[in-house]
């Protein structure tokens, strides 16, 4: 029996990669210094995995920005617009081209946009979307995978296993950039390059190669299935003497089982955390020669593995296949896991004993193998922890369970229908048409972050910290008034993150000091851990919202994160259904909304940025999710007066297939990301005749580029062609925390000017 790992966190225990990349981008270190940091991280990661006793250790799972972008570079899928970058940046050409594709290139007289970024399946990790043209050519461009294997081999010998995104998922996760072709048809041109890569790795000495095919666990068209079959048969015909492992994760194979088990490869990896039920069918259909890798240790969550449960799966597989055809592994790459629980010294020891981060997960894989070999002591120690968590008083709070069980439909319904509320709200706030606002956060500058770091280290008192945050808040309010925004925000300067901030204040959550996980590029998040029943011991945002509201006569939005987003961006309990945990959070946020209202706040925004991301990967499971997710939002917003205006905000919003559910949330105002799609997303709202007010983002906040007033007027005109103009708000796509002040100020000044022009040019009388 072998053990393997599919991928390891690459940011480094102290986020060295983030810091080095940002220094390289700022011109503070050179390429050789950047490469030194990268090499150290890789070598340490390999050593950790070897020390844990893992038999097949991934390499090429390291990436300076994103593994999908790495794949585009290996395959030479470089959009034409980057050609000038290559000719300009002679010295560090490949890495600078790579970063230009990820982040855009605005220097040397060039203004080249970045490639699109989107969520990696249902995770909070973002990948760079490959762009394909009808005549797309593929050729080996980057040598990274070969270089990385070569170093890994020196350190690990035969254990080094190169990892690459497989050809079919690579195509399916990309986008056609022109009309008249389907990207899946490119498979015939693409496969020869994969064959070349595999054969080169074999010549270098590789014995195993892992090809990630997460799309094999999704709903597939007939053509997609044929592409899988074609690709792997073509590869098998031209490649021999090397073992190929196809890795699936995040869902079960379901209707693709027959296809998957019959691919001509050496081994198939399946995720038994997300889809334990698939083992039965896979074992019943598996052909005689296929090895099976069992993903039994959860790569997406932080709980200690329940060995008894895992051993049931392993024993079943061993019984059918024999011990030599079974591999034990985490369910997916450990990229989504924090690195090491041992460095957390302030977590309650009872709860710490229930947790396993990446390093501990490797040990779990190795220990499962030892238990199979007869070391039953390890099993008993594990049983004690698992039992301890199951019965702990820290997890279960009867009053919270009862409150959730008593939720009725009335608890999820506003008192009056939207038209009545709208009238009362218009009277109360008396805003102009095309009211302007922002989404909540203003730049989290180094100064603000250092302030918080000093406060956390005890170098500043609470008074000193709060007084500095107050000053930043007041300055931003004065400035919002000066430029003429209609509805103000407090700026979120007091928040480290829109989820962690609430996790720190809610009971049933714990937060870590170093539990960073990559979100995109150099940006990381520190998801809190929900370990028990959730409640709100005291007000969370009232202090800052009332302070801010007291500084101005204009409406000030209260700013909360919604229950689904808090759930999605936390590590969640695996001992109860997600909807139960979400309802507990919803009740806590509901209480906060009422507290804000009682404190005189007339508008409350409840961000549900992650509601689309939470959508199950398989269509058959979506309706159930949407039902409880929408209801949870409605619980937070219900119980307030008709005159209180509830906003929600969503980014990453492909709404076409879920628009009726978005409407069912019944927020008085929704702000969404639309600018990059040139208002394309609004068609779903128009088609559905979305009844409530809406603020389609008029500028992209992911880039420092300052949009012109004219551009934004043009977008508003487009929006008014699709939706009643009297329902439209004017705002950016999302919060401005990642931006710097100069571009933020310039962009918002232009945005206010655009709204003023729209008021003159666009009639609000028309009924669409
Ligand atoms: C909207 N997005 C979010 C997602 N998930 C979340 N949980 N939160 C989100 O906002 N998913 C989708 C998107 C992803 N987008 C982003 C955008 C920006 C970031 C980001 O900026 N991350 C920061 C870390 C933010 C944070 O927690 N800051 C803390 C700690 C700051 C810190 O690093 N301190 C230093 C010391 C200070 C110093 O010297 O500068 C330290 O500890 O060493 C804070 O502000 O207190 C990042 O830097 O990556 C993430 C996702
Ligand atoms: N209120 C948050 C939403 C981000 S999705 C912000 O402005 O950053
Ligand atoms: Zn957003």
């Amino acid at each position: 029996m072998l053990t393997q790992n599919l991928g390891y966190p690459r940011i480094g225990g102290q986020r060295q990669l983030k810091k080095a990349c940002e220094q390289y981008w700022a011109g503070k270190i050179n390429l050789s210094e950047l490469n030194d940091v990268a090499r150290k991280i890789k070598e340490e990661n390999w050593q950790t995995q070897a020390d844990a006793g893992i038999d097949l250790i991934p390499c090429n799972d390291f990436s300076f920005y994103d593994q999908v972008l790495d794949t585009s570079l290996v395959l030479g899928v470089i959009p034409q617009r980057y050609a000038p970058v290559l000719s300009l940046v002679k010295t560090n050409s490949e890495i600078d081209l790579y970063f230009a594709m990820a982040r855009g290139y605005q220097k040397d007289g060039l203004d080249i946009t970045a490639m699109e970024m989107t969520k990696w399946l249902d995770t909070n990790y973002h990948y760079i979307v490959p762009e394909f043209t009808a005549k797309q050519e593929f050729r080996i461009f980057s040598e990274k995978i070969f270089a990385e294997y070569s170093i890994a081999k020196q350190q690990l010998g035969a254990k080094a296993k190169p990892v690459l995104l497989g050809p079919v998922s690579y195509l399916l996760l990309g986008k056609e950039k022109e009309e008249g072709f389907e990207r899946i048809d490119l498979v015939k041109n693409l496969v020869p390059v994969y064959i070349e890569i595999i054969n080169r790795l074999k010549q270098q000495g590789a014995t195993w190669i892992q090809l990630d095919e997460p799309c094999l666990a999704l709903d597939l068209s007939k053509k997609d299935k044929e592409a899988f079959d074609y690709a792997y048969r073509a590869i098998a015909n031209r490649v021999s003497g090397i073992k190929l492992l196809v890795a699936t994760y995040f869902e079960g194979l379901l209707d693709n089982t027959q296809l998957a088990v019959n691919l001509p490869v050496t081994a198939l990896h399946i995720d038994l955390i997300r889809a334990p039920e698939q083992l039965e069918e896979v074992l019943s259909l598996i052909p005689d020669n296929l090895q099976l890798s069992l993903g039994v240790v959860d790569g997406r969550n932080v709980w200690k593995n329940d060995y008894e449960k895992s051993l049931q799966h392993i024993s079943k597989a061993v019984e059918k296949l024999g011990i030599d055809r079974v591999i034990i592994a985490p369910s997916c790459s450990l990229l989504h896991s924090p690195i090491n629980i041992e460095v957390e010294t302030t977590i309650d020891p009872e709860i710490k004993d229930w947790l396993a981060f990446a390093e501990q997960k490797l040990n779990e894989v190795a220990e499962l193998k030892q238990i199979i070999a007869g070391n039953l002591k390890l099993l008993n120690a594990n049983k004690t922890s698992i039992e301890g968590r199951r019965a702990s008083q820290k997890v279960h709070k009867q009053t919270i369970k009862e409150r959730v069980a008593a939720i009725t439909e009335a608890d999820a319904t506003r008192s009056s229908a939207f038209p009545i509320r709208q009238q009362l709200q218009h009277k109360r706030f008396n805003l102009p048409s095309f009211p302007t606002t922002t989404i909540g956060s203003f730049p989290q500058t180094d100064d603000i972050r250092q302030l918080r770091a000093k406060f956390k280290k005890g170098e500043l008192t609470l008074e000193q910290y709060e007084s500095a945050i107050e000053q930043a808040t007041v300055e931003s309010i004065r400035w919002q008034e000066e430029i003429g925004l209609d509805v103000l925000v407090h700026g979120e300067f007091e928040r480290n993150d829109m989820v962690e901030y609430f996790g720190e204040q809610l009971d049933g959550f714990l937060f870590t000091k170093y539990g960073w996980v990559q979100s995109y590029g150099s940006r990381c998040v520190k998801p809190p851990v929900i370990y028990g029943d959730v409640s709100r011991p005291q007000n969370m945002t009232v202090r800052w919202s009332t302070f801010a509201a007291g500084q101005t006569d204009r409406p000030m939005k209260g700013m909360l994160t919604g229950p689904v987003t808090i759930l999605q961006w936390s590590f969640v309990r695996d001992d109860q259904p997600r909807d139960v945990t979400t309802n507990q959070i919803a009740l806590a946020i509901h209480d906060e909304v009422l507290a804000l209202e009682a404190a005189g706040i007339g508008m409350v925004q409840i961000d549900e940025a992650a509601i689309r991301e939470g959508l199950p990967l398989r269509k058959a499971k979506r309706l159930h999710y949407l039902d409880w997710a929408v209801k949870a939002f409605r619980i937070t917003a219900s119980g307030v007066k008709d005159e209180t205006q509830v906003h929600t905000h969503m980014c990453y919003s492909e709404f076409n297939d879920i628009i009726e559910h978005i409407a069912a949330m019944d927020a008085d105002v929704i702000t969404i990301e639309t600018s990059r799609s040139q208002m394309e997303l609004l068609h779903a709202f128009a088609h559905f005749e979305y009844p409530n007010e809406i603020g389609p983002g008029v500028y992209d906040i992911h880039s420092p580029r300052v949009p012109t007033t004219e551009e934004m007027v043009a977008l508003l005109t487009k929006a008014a062609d699709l939706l009643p103009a009297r329902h439209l708000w004017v705002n950016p796509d999302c919060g401005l925390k990642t931006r710097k002040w100069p571009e933020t100020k310039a962009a918002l000044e232009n945005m206010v000017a655009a709204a003023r022009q729209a008021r003159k040019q666009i009639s609000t009388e028309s009924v669409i």
Side-chain angles (χ1 to χ4, degrees):
M1 179 185 282
L2 289 176
T3 55
Q4 69 157 341
N5 185 27
L6 304 189
Y8 202 70
R10 57 207 178 207
I11 51 176
Q14 287 80 42
R15 284 183 300 157
Q16 302 91 308
L17 185 63
K18 167 203 173 59
K19 291 167 193 164
C21 281
E22 289 176 358
Q23 283 178 319
Y24 179 74
W25 298 333
K28 290 181 185 157
I29 61 170
N30 61 29
L31 181 58
S32 141
E33 290 166 300
L34 177 64
N35 279 331
D36 283 348
V37 173
R39 190 174 172 132
K40 253 200 180 137
I41 293 175
K42 285 185 257 188
E43 287 172 356
E44 274 177 29
N45 285 353
W46 290 329
Q47 202 52 51
T48 304
Q49 295 174 81
D51 290 347
I54 300 296
D55 298 316
L56 298 176
I57 297 173
C59 61
N60 196 46
D61 56 336
F62 177 85
S63 173
F64 279 108
Y65 204 95
D66 160 49
Q67 72 272 8
V68 182
L69 181 59
D70 291 6
T71 314
S72 291
L73 261 269
V74 174
L75 300 171
V77 182
I78 299 159
Q80 189 53 35
R81 65 181 180 283
Y82 297 103
V85 180
L86 250 190
S87 54
L88 261 175
V89 288
K90 292 271 185 299
T91 36
N92 300 339
S93 57
E94 186 174 313
I95 192 85
D96 288 342
L97 167 72
Y98 174 84
F99 285 139
M101 289 165 74
R103 310 175 65 236
Y105 195 85
Q106 276 85 27
K107 54 183 178 186
D108 307 323
L110 297 174
D111 182 2
I112 307 177
T113 54
M115 291 172 74
E116 202 178 310
M117 193 167 73
T118 198
K119 294 266 166 158
W120 175 244
L121 301 148
D122 60 356
T123 73
N124 195 8
Y125 173 79
H126 306 62
Y127 73 95
I128 303 286
V129 183
E131 295 179 12
F132 302 120
T133 57
K135 297 213 169 88
Q136 186 67 53
E137 287 178 6
F138 302 96
R139 71 195 160 97
I140 295 180
F141 177 82
S142 166
E143 293 285 315
K144 172 187 174 267
I145 186 168
F146 310 112
E148 201 162 308
Y149 172 67
S150 164
I151 312 172
K153 189 182 147 199
Q154 282 171 30
Q155 188 175 334
L156 301 170
K159 290 183 173 185
K161 173 193 59 171
V163 178
L164 189 61
L165 181 57
V168 184
S169 295
Y170 176 68
L171 290 175
L172 291 177
L173 292 168
K175 237 185 178 175
E176 291 91 355
K177 275 294 166 177
E178 51 193 34
E179 297 199 341
F181 79 106
E182 285 180 55
R183 63 191 185 282
I184 197 67
D185 291 333
L186 298 173
V187 71
K188 294 210 162 108
N189 297 344
L190 176 58
V191 161
V193 185
Y194 271 82
I195 293 170
E196 201 182 333
I197 295 171
I198 295 167
N199 278 327
R200 273 188 61 182
L201 288 166
K202 182 188 144 191
Q203 274 162 18
Q204 282 185 273
T207 48
W208 281 90
I209 295 184
Q210 173 185 322
L211 293 168
D212 280 4
E213 291 285 11
C215 293
L216 198 46
L218 305 185
D219 297 318
L220 294 175
S221 69
K222 185 163 173 277
K223 210 166 175 182
D224 299 339
K225 289 184 185 175
E226 284 165 3
F228 271 110
D229 198 58
Y230 167 81
Y232 283 89
R233 273 177 214 292
I235 291 172
N237 284 339
R238 300 276 309 280
V239 161
S240 59
I242 186 157
K243 294 172 181 164
L244 296 184
L245 170 114
V246 165
T248 66
Y249 36 81
F250 304 159
E251 247 303 350
L253 292 167
L254 297 171
D255 52 327
N256 305 328
T257 308
Q258 211 31 289
L259 167 70
V261 298
N262 285 303
L263 294 177
V265 293
T266 307
L268 175 71
H269 172 84
I270 55 174
D271 183 341
L272 292 178
I273 298 295
R274 279 293 173 87
E277 68 290 343
Q278 68 178 324
L279 181 61
E280 205 77 42
E281 192 177 10
V282 169
L283 288 178
S284 74
L285 294 175
I286 196 165
D288 283 347
N289 49 357
L290 188 67
Q291 297 184 32
L292 193 61
S293 166
L294 308 176
V296 286
V297 169
D298 195 345
R300 293 283 298 275
N301 214 333
V302 290
W303 303 108
K304 193 173 259 190
N305 191 259
D306 181 345
Y307 285 172
E308 255 187 354
K309 224 183 201 177
S310 298
L311 288 166
Q312 278 172 16
H313 295 316
I314 298 169
S315 307
K316 207 179 262 178
V318 168
E319 204 173 293
K320 167 86 200 236
L321 307 176
I323 203 150
D324 292 340
R325 281 173 64 199
V326 174
I327 305 171
I328 314 179
S331 59
C332 59
S333 164
L334 298 177
L335 177 69
H336 312 287
S337 166
I339 297 176
N340 186 6
I341 185 67
E342 291 308 331
V343 296
E344 301 292 340
T345 50
T346 51
I347 296 180
D348 174 344
E350 182 186 348
I351 301 177
K352 190 170 163 181
D353 180 57
W354 308 338
L355 298 170
F357 291 178
E359 216 174 305
Q360 290 70 44
K361 286 174 193 294
L362 297 172
N363 290 333
E364 292 182 338
V365 168
E367 287 194 359
L368 283 165
K369 181 173 164 175
Q370 290 174 48
I371 296 170
I372 293 281
N375 185 346
L376 294 184
K377 255 199 219 149
L378 293 171
L379 181 58
N380 291 334
N382 176 264
K383 258 189 200 164
T384 313
S385 285
I386 300 293
E387 281 306 321
R389 179 176 164 214
R390 205 168 281 152
S392 173
Q393 293 297 314
K394 290 189 172 136
V395 173
H396 303 284
K397 302 274 180 299
Q398 200 49 34
T399 48
I400 301 171
K401 291 186 202 300
E402 282 164 12
R403 193 172 168 207
V404 167
I407 294 172
T408 63
E409 212 38 54
D411 295 323
T413 313
R414 296 279 303 258
S415 327
S416 305
F418 174 69
I420 299 170
R421 306 197 307 259
Q422 189 183 32
Q423 232 178 18
L424 293 168
Q425 290 164 15
H426 280 193
K427 210 162 136 203
R428 175 175 184 186
F429 298 114
N430 195 25
L431 296 171
S433 58
F434 296 101
T436 52
T437 190
T438 61
I439 304 303
S441 58
F442 281 130
Q444 282 272 337
T445 56
D446 287 347
D447 286 354
I448 295 284
R449 291 210 160 130
Q450 271 165 27
L451 203 65
R452 193 162 23 254
K454 279 189 187 156
F455 168 57
K456 288 198 169 162
K457 277 189 216 142
E459 291 169 18
L460 287 180
T461 62
L462 179 66
E463 290 72 37
Q464 286 167 321
Y465 173 66
E466 293 206 330
S467 142
I469 295 288
E470 280 184 356
Q471 198 184 324
T473 309
V474 171
E475 275 168 22
S476 92
I477 292 170
R478 286 291 87 77
W479 174 77
Q480 292 176 74
E481 286 176 335
E482 266 164 39
I483 69 161
L485 282 159
D486 300 306
V487 171
L488 311 193
V489 296
H490 74 283
E492 302 181 25
F493 299 107
E494 78 290 6
R495 300 185 186 179
N496 44 9
D497 173 76
M498 60 186 281
V499 166
E500 196 183 2
Y501 182 72
F502 289 93
E504 284 175 353
Q505 300 186 73
L506 288 165
D507 278 355
F509 280 72
L510 70 83
F511 49 95
T512 63
K513 266 199 168 142
Y514 310 101
W516 294 99
V517 177
Q518 188 177 16
S519 180
Y520 68 88
S522 70
R523 299 285 181 177
C524 299
V525 293
K526 196 143 50 66
V529 176
I530 308 175
Y531 67 87
D533 290 328
V534 175
S535 61
R536 168 186 165 278
Q538 57 202 19
N539 290 346
M540 300 185 284
T541 62
V542 177
R543 183 248 184 268
W544 286 108
S545 280
T546 50
F547 168 78
Q551 307 299 316
T552 180
D553 294 332
R554 299 191 193 184
M556 170 68 61
K557 284 190 280 189
M559 194 59 61
L560 302 174
T561 303
V564 179
T565 303
I566 292 183
L567 180 95
Q568 275 298 121
W569 294 350
S570 301
F571 290 113
V572 297
R573 289 174 68 171
D574 59 356
D575 59 346
Q576 71 180 15
R578 292 166 81 81
D579 58 328
V580 176
T581 308
T582 311
N583 277 341
Q584 294 182 354
I585 306 169
L587 289 173
I589 300 294
H590 163 89
D591 294 348
E592 184 71 12
V593 172
L594 292 187
L596 284 168
E597 185 183 58
I601 303 293
M603 289 185 187
V604 182
Q605 180 173 310
I606 307 164
D607 291 326
E608 278 295 26
I611 210 158
R612 179 69 179 72
E613 167 195 316
L615 204 62
L617 294 170
R618 292 284 196 159
K619 287 200 175 92
K621 295 181 182 167
R622 291 185 178 170
L623 203 55
H624 172 64
Y625 161 79
L626 286 164
D627 278 350
W628 63 254
V630 168
K631 187 166 177 196
F633 177 83
R634 293 173 61 117
I635 291 168
T636 64
S638 298
V640 294
K641 296 187 202 116
D642 288 346
E643 294 85 343
T644 299
Q645 190 170 68
V646 174
H647 292 229
T648 190
H649 160 74
M650 287 174 203
C651 24
Y652 315 101
S653 341
E654 299 245 327
F655 289 126
N656 285 323
D657 43 353
I658 60 164
I659 184 69
E660 63 191 281
H661 303 278
I662 302 296
M665 289 167 73
D666 198 22
D668 297 308
V669 183
I670 181 171
T671 54
I672 57 170
E673 176 182 327
T674 39
S675 80
R676 276 191 293 187
S677 76
Q678 296 290 308
M679 300 282 147
E680 210 48 47
L681 284 172
L682 278 193
H683 284 103
F685 286 82
H687 189 71
F688 185 75
E689 297 185 16
Y690 183 77
N692 300 11
E693 298 188 11
I694 177 164
V698 290
Y699 84 85
D700 176 17
I701 55 83
H702 294 99
S703 146
R705 194 177 161 272
V706 175
T708 63
T709 300
E710 292 68 38
E711 270 169 60
M712 291 189 270
V713 173
L715 288 178
L716 287 171
T717 310
K718 249 188 184 175
D721 284 342
L722 292 165
L723 290 161
R726 69 201 146 77
H727 284 187
L728 291 178
W729 285 62
V730 182
N731 46 262
D733 272 343
C734 183
L736 295 157
K737 64 187 160 208
T738 55
R739 299 270 52 91
K740 303 250 184 291
W741 272 113
E743 73 237 21
T744 300
K745 288 186 168 169
L748 288 178
E749 276 167 2
N750 288 355
M751 188 189 86
V752 172
R756 289 187 178 143
Q757 222 164 297
R759 283 172 202 148
K760 288 190 201 140
Q761 286 176 14
I762 305 172
S763 160
T764 46
E765 301 305 314
S766 64
V767 178
I768 303 269

